[in-house]
Amino acid sequence: FGGTVRVPMGKLSVAGAKRLHFLLGGDLVQNDFNILGMPLNLETSVKDLGFIGQKLEKRIKKLEIETVEDLIFYFPARHDDLSVITEIKTLVPEQIATIRGRLEIINVRRSPIRKKILTEAIVGDASGKIKLLWFNQPYLGKIFKAGDEYYFSGKVSSGDAGAELISPEYEKVKDEQTHLAGIIPMYPLTAGVSQKQLRYLIKIALGAVGQITDFLPESVKEEYRFLDLPSALYEIHFPECGKGLERAVARLKFDELFLSQLLNRKLRYDLNKKSAQTAPFKEAETIAFVKSLPFELTAGQRAAAWEIIKDIGTAHPMNRLLNGDVGSGKTVVAAMAALNVVLSDYQAALMAPTEILASQHFGTIKNMFQGLPISLGLLTGGENRLFDGGRDTAITRKEFFKKLSGGEIDFLIGTHALIEDKAKFSRLALAIVDEQHRFGVGQRKSLRERVGQEGFTPHLLSMTATPIPRTLALALYGDLDISYLPEMPKNRKPIITKIVASEKRGAAYDFIAKQIAAGRQVFVICPLIDPSDTAGVKSAKEEYEGLKRIFPSSRLGLAHGKLKSKEKEEVMSRMKKGEIDILVSTSVVEVGVDIPNASVMVIEGAERFGLAQLHQFRGRVGRGEHQSYCLLFTESRSPTTVSRLTALLGAKNGFELAEMDLKIRGPGEVYGFRQSGFPEFKIATVFDYALIKKAAAAAEEILSKDPSLESFPLLKQKFETHLASLHLE
Ligand code: ADP
Ligand code: MG
């Protein structure tokens, strides 16, 4: 140890080294690099915050961060408590610890054997000394200064001369720490952006936090003893203590829930003043329709259909949620509602979140309505079809819109293309939204606003596959009406779910081969479309090629989000007709796809999906009379993965699974949460029941005092921006 410091990276100026250091994720709270005397506004662009190159700016943009305000509202996924400082002499191997000490010696050299660049340091505190070691980070030699005091944090290992810290994180001791020695924010990242960079930028941005207006009425803040908004925003990033963090989280969750409550209640309030078309119950036709079905309706389907049919027979606009787990048979209930509307000579519309699903519904409903004098339209990004008088034809978009506004299409099925400006109905009386959680509030609202006839508002039926318990749903959505499908159709066999270890892969393939030989079909879901660098993560394209070799005599198909809608549709329709044995796909088949002959669902990289999402995938099989299986492949042996996936083995509904996931992994770590059927919040979740109730009560109270919100100008303004942002979704 000792000797001269050699930095084998050419002649780098100190400023250059600092800049490089920052780009590599180092700390940089040097005055000369701070925003150079510029006034800091909420609108200030991140690129004006000192040293941000174009590359970093671009990467940060991926996180939807462009301004100071975006930075302030970029919340941590979690915090690590690094506030405990350990004395050097008490360190033990394998311990993860933070120390505070003076840097006594720093040395950069090339390792004689593997030619790695080693940065070595000796650090001491009152209790003793320890050696620190970094590999291939020569610039550290310029960053550290012997004699200065630093915090270091990392895993203790045992070296030749006792305990060592290998590649510890570091931060100079300052009046206020950002990265170590405190409760430290950990942000969701994207490639090429480090925690240090984000913390650095956010800390600067928080200089403007005082400019954020606190829109919450004083009475509400007082009643629930909430922090004011700027303090909460500061504390959510850099909390003084655990208690402060808790209060910050409560305030910010409340804000979200409160705004959503206000919105729901206001919509309801406005709705109550409007009137809808009345479609009287077509008893004989409905009975005939039910008789024509190849199955018997469940009691739940009958009850729900009756509730809906009663609603649309009144002039009061229906606002009903049809709640039923995957496979419970919601589509036919929706069809019965549409039937009644259409037979009264009004139009109905059904909006689905994907083209695959929209065209599937079109096909299903075409079958169900066979022989009835009902014309159906299919409208997606890539297709406009008409089914009329027993003929299914593609027509031009122009012609399609003309027929729609002329009232020649009775029941329009489609994707969000339905809410395009050009799609005009002549007498829309019922709007149905399938998998409603996949649409923004704004999208649902615009479907409803497709008024066909002056002065009328269509009835709205929303369908969701994640059965939120009734009390929670009521608190969450205000006084929305809810129908439940509590049971599955008869004769459904429970799906057998298995976690397959890698050494059992061969046996699993044998099993799949037998299923195919018996005439069944198989889904294989992969986390990615294209091959990636991430070791062990399967992509649909690779898997497709690989399985072709393993199952040479089977017919394989490939579906993913990058295919053109025509191609996707073609693959799905071949799968539906039984012309594909194994469909390799990404999560595009997640929602709603219905292929009763499919009996095996294989999920690769299962640990990469949320539990509720896995439950949705599993729901793609077991929809017919065949015993079905869900095989979860995972390379991960982490205890978290095992306990999460094990949760799937018991029969659980999507709601319970999502709650479990949240408990096991913590918020912010739950991928696919949005896809799982819950209203989307940034920080709140549907499991914050106590806060939801408070938010509901507060929203109700404010609206009862002043439904126009005129006497709460800040709230009114916030509400309007919120509303506008929803419309832009
Ligand atoms: P989801 O509620 O998930 O949207 P679907 O409406 O797609 O479910 O129905 C799932 C499958 O169950 C479809 O193949 C449908 O034809 C079938 N199905 C619906 N209702 C019944 C029933 N009462 N008995 C038997 N099968 C049914
Ligand atoms: Mg469905």
Side-chain angles (χ1 to χ4, degrees):
F1 226 83
T4 48
V5 177
R6 280 176 290 132
V7 181
M9 53 189 309
K11 284 194 195 96
L12 209 61
S13 67
V14 174
K18 277 183 184 167
R19 177 176 158 70
L20 176 73
H21 167 57
F22 173 58
L23 293 177
L24 288 166
D27 187 10
L28 191 86
V29 190
Q30 307 275 344
N31 289 333
D32 47 341
F33 295 121
N34 265 341
I35 18 162
L36 305 153
M38 250 185 58
L40 192 60
N41 288 318
L42 295 174
E43 297 78 38
T44 304
S45 159
V46 274
K47 65 172 182 286
D48 296 329
L49 296 183
F51 262 105
I52 298 192
Q54 269 182 358
K55 261 199 195 132
L56 186 59
E57 187 198 339
K58 249 203 199 137
R59 292 176 189 152
I60 286 181
K61 216 172 180 169
K62 277 205 193 135
L63 302 172
E64 292 177 21
I65 300 174
E66 291 183 40
T67 65
V68 161
E69 183 167 10
D70 297 339
L71 280 167
I72 293 176
F73 282 91
Y74 193 73
F75 299 149
R78 61 166 216 273
H79 289 79
D80 282 355
D81 188 351
L82 304 178
S83 58
V84 179
I85 309 299
T86 310
E87 287 193 323
I88 289 177
K89 77 158 189 262
T90 65
L91 292 175
V92 286
E94 300 304 305
Q95 176 188 11
I96 293 169
T98 305
I99 59 168
R100 172 182 174 148
R102 205 164 288 284
L103 192 82
E104 300 188 350
I105 305 170
I106 172 88
N107 176 41
V108 180
R109 67 186 171 94
R110 214 174 258 282
S111 76
I113 305 166
R114 273 189 272 153
K115 299 277 177 242
K116 274 190 184 157
I117 294 162
L118 298 179
T119 307
E120 297 165 311
I122 298 284
V123 169
D125 67 7
S127 75
K129 292 187 201 309
I130 187 168
K131 180 173 160 184
L132 315 183
L133 198 62
W134 292 266
F135 301 100
N136 292 331
Q137 300 182 55
Y139 55 90
L140 290 177
K142 293 220 168 188
I143 302 291
F144 291 132
K145 249 175 62 201
D148 282 353
E149 224 187 339
Y150 297 87
Y151 288 103
F152 296 97
S153 178
K155 195 164 164 187
V156 183
S157 49
S158 52
D160 306 336
E164 288 180 349
L165 282 175
I166 312 279
S167 306
E169 305 216 14
Y170 52 87
E171 185 179 22
K172 205 168 159 187
V173 173
K174 288 179 257 150
D175 294 342
E176 197 194 311
Q177 303 303 134
T178 304
H179 306 294
L180 290 177
I183 300 173
I184 304 303
M186 306 300 279
Y187 296 96
L189 297 177
T190 183
V193 180
S194 72
Q195 292 291 354
K196 279 198 162 179
Q197 287 167 330
L198 274 174
R199 285 186 210 127
Y200 166 78
L201 290 169
I202 288 171
K203 198 143 212 184
I204 294 178
L206 284 170
V209 78
Q211 297 170 31
I212 303 257
T213 18
D214 193 346
F215 60 88
L216 207 57
E218 284 304 321
S219 60
V220 178
K221 260 190 285 183
E222 263 163 40
E223 181 164 359
Y224 299 108
R225 302 169 155 272
F226 283 129
L227 287 179
D228 64 276
L229 188 51
S231 311
L233 287 169
Y234 195 91
E235 288 278 309
I236 186 101
H237 294 286
F238 299 102
E240 200 71 54
C241 58
K243 189 91 198 122
L245 177 60
E246 247 171 57
R247 293 191 66 199
V249 169
R251 165 69 212 257
L252 296 170
K253 283 184 168 182
F254 181 87
D255 280 8
E256 254 184 311
L257 293 166
F258 177 68
L259 283 173
S260 116
Q261 290 285 348
L262 214 51
L263 182 74
N264 288 340
R265 274 152 219 271
K266 220 167 158 349
L267 289 181
R268 182 67 182 203
Y269 194 87
D270 296 343
L271 208 56
N272 282 339
K273 292 186 283 194
K274 302 215 164 108
S275 45
Q277 315 268 23
T278 57
F281 178 35
K282 300 281 183 188
E283 190 173 354
E285 291 88 338
T286 306
I287 290 173
F289 173 79
V290 171
K291 274 209 179 117
S292 77
L293 293 171
F295 46 72
E296 210 163 293
L297 291 180
T298 64
Q301 284 171 321
R302 283 174 196 278
W306 180 233
E307 283 168 344
I308 295 165
I309 289 170
K310 270 194 302 191
D311 278 0
I312 56 186
T314 73
H316 179 70
M318 172 173 76
N319 196 24
R320 186 171 283 278
L321 185 68
L322 178 57
N323 234 327
D325 211 339
V326 245
S328 57
K330 294 180 287 289
T331 317
V332 65
V333 176
M336 287 165 75
L339 178 75
N340 274 274
V341 163
V342 165
L343 292 179
S344 286
D345 224 14
Y346 297 118
Q347 287 171 306
L350 167 61
M351 181 163 77
T354 63
E355 295 189 1
I356 289 181
L357 203 50
S359 69
Q360 174 184 295
H361 283 324
F362 182 68
T364 309
I365 289 167
K366 217 162 70 175
N367 278 341
M368 287 183 186
F369 285 179
Q370 235 165 33
L372 293 172
I374 294 174
S375 60
L376 300 176
L378 173 67
L379 182 68
T380 67
E383 265 205 309
N384 346 280
R385 307 188 69 80
L386 184 68
F387 178 72
D388 198 8
R391 282 184 41 229
D392 181 348
T393 40
I395 57 176
T396 67
R397 212 143 178 104
K398 203 168 152 206
E399 213 181 325
F400 192 92
F401 287 137
K402 217 173 113 202
K403 284 191 184 291
L404 184 65
S405 59
E408 287 176 63
I409 295 174
D410 299 319
F411 189 6
L412 176 57
I413 296 159
T415 56
H416 57 267
L418 247 70
I419 48 179
E420 262 179 36
D421 279 340
K422 286 198 194 105
K424 292 238 166 16
F425 295 84
S426 71
R427 37 180 220 288
L428 181 67
L430 171 67
I432 306 167
V433 183
D434 192 19
E435 310 287 350
Q436 59 111 19
H437 58 280
R438 299 288 298 262
F439 294 100
V441 180
Q443 288 175 316
R444 277 177 270 158
K445 200 163 175 275
S446 23
L447 182 61
R448 176 159 235 165
E449 279 161 4
R450 301 267 125 195
V451 209
Q453 232 156 285
E454 269 303 306
F456 291 101
T457 272
H459 297 286
L460 182 68
L461 176 66
S462 309
M463 307 202 283
T464 176
T466 303
I468 299 180
R470 188 181 291 270
T471 42
L472 176 60
L474 287 176
L476 204 55
Y477 299 115
D479 52 352
L480 177 92
D481 298 310
I482 308 175
S483 297
Y484 279 89
L485 298 182
E487 79 264 68
M488 288 288 164
K490 272 189 299 209
N491 309 330
R492 288 272 169 82
K493 300 185 183 79
I495 299 160
I496 297 172
T497 305
K498 288 238 150 71
I499 302 172
V500 186
S502 18
E503 62 272 16
K504 292 271 173 63
R505 190 175 276 273
Y509 285 153
D510 290 344
F511 173 76
I512 289 172
K514 281 201 198 107
Q515 288 283 311
I516 295 173
R520 299 287 78 75
Q521 289 164 282
V522 178
F523 287 108
V524 176
I525 306 280
C526 299
L528 302 173
I529 300 178
D530 290 299
S532 89
D533 308 337
T534 322
V537 180
K538 296 222 171 180
S539 73
K541 283 183 184 166
E542 278 172 307
E543 197 56 15
Y544 174 68
E545 295 303 327
L547 289 174
K548 271 208 278 202
R549 287 190 290 272
I550 296 171
F551 298 97
S553 54
S554 297
R555 299 158 301 172
L556 273 82
L558 175 64
H560 55 73
K562 281 193 195 161
L563 291 184
K564 294 209 188 71
S565 45
K566 268 256 152 52
E567 298 169 318
K568 237 186 293 178
E569 187 142 329
E570 208 232 303
V571 176
M572 289 316 292
S573 96
R574 275 170 46 221
M575 180 75 180
K576 211 150 196 178
K577 284 191 241 155
E579 293 167 13
I580 290 176
D581 302 311
I582 304 178
L583 179 66
V584 183
S585 139
T586 55
S587 58
V588 292
V589 304
E590 177 200 352
V591 286
V593 171
D594 184 42
I595 296 175
N597 186 47
S599 68
V600 185
M601 166 59 67
V602 174
I603 300 165
E604 295 285 353
E607 77 282 357
R608 298 176 62 92
F609 297 102
L611 288 183
Q613 201 181 7
L614 289 171
H615 177 66
Q616 282 278 345
F617 288 140
R618 177 168 59 184
R620 297 305 118 228
V621 296
R623 298 168 81 88
E625 76 260 34
H626 311 293
Q627 174 61 56
S628 295
Y629 305 85
C630 177
L631 307 180
L632 305 166
F633 284 98
T634 176
E635 307 283 309
S636 161
R637 301 207 175 256
S638 93
T640 320
T641 301
V642 175
S643 69
R644 285 183 58 235
L645 295 183
T646 309
L648 267 177
L649 303 189
K652 294 276 185 321
N653 68 41
F655 183 76
E656 288 171 40
L657 286 169
E659 187 168 20
M660 224 180 254
D661 223 0
L662 203 71
K663 281 195 187 130
I664 300 174
R665 291 197 291 183
E669 305 273 319
V670 181
Y671 319 95
F673 196 75
R674 168 161 189 207
Q675 278 76 31
S676 348
F678 299 110
E680 197 203 354
F681 300 115
K682 211 167 138 181
I683 173 164
T685 76
V686 286
F687 308 111
D688 294 313
Y689 188 51
L691 270 179
I692 290 172
K693 291 225 308 227
K694 283 182 192 168
E700 199 58 62
E701 196 185 322
I702 294 291
L703 285 176
S704 70
K705 273 190 203 151
D706 178 7
S708 72
L709 300 181
E710 295 294 348
S711 47
F712 306 98
L714 296 179
L715 177 60
K716 182 164 194 277
Q717 193 190 1
K718 176 76 189 180
F719 183 74
E720 275 159 10
T721 357
H722 177 61
L723 205 61
S725 73
L726 292 174
H727 274 282
L728 288 177
E729 294 179 330

